[in-house]
Amino acid sequence: MNEKHKHLGSRGSCFYILGFFGAAYYFISTSVGFWMGVGGFFKAIVWPVFFVYESFKYLGL
């Protein structure tokens, strides 16, 4: 593996971690009970799925 492609994964990881914290904060802060907060935590883990789905729907793909 050459030096140019060695660190490409770290940018995506940073974006995912920041997105995870933001989504977890949003989903947990808007929950009305404990189990809704637990569900919000799991939603925060898979937030890229929602993002890509809504993006494709918006773009008409």
Side-chain angles (χ1 to χ4, degrees):
M1 185 185 286
N2 62 22
E3 284 296 318
K4 183 178 180 183
H5 298 290
K6 188 175 181 180
H7 300 288
L8 287 179
S10 62
R11 291 183 213 143
S13 299
C14 180
F15 178 70
Y16 180 80
I17 292 296
L18 289 174
F20 169 76
F21 286 132
Y25 177 77
Y26 172 77
F27 287 131
I28 293 171
S29 69
T30 59
S31 65
V32 293
F34 174 76
W35 290 111
M36 293 295 286
V38 172
F41 176 78
F42 289 117
K43 277 186 183 180
I45 293 172
V46 296
W47 71 270
V49 174
F50 299 117
F51 178 75
V52 171
Y53 175 75
E54 293 296 327
S55 298
F56 284 172
K57 191 167 70 171
Y58 177 75
L59 294 171
L61 298 175

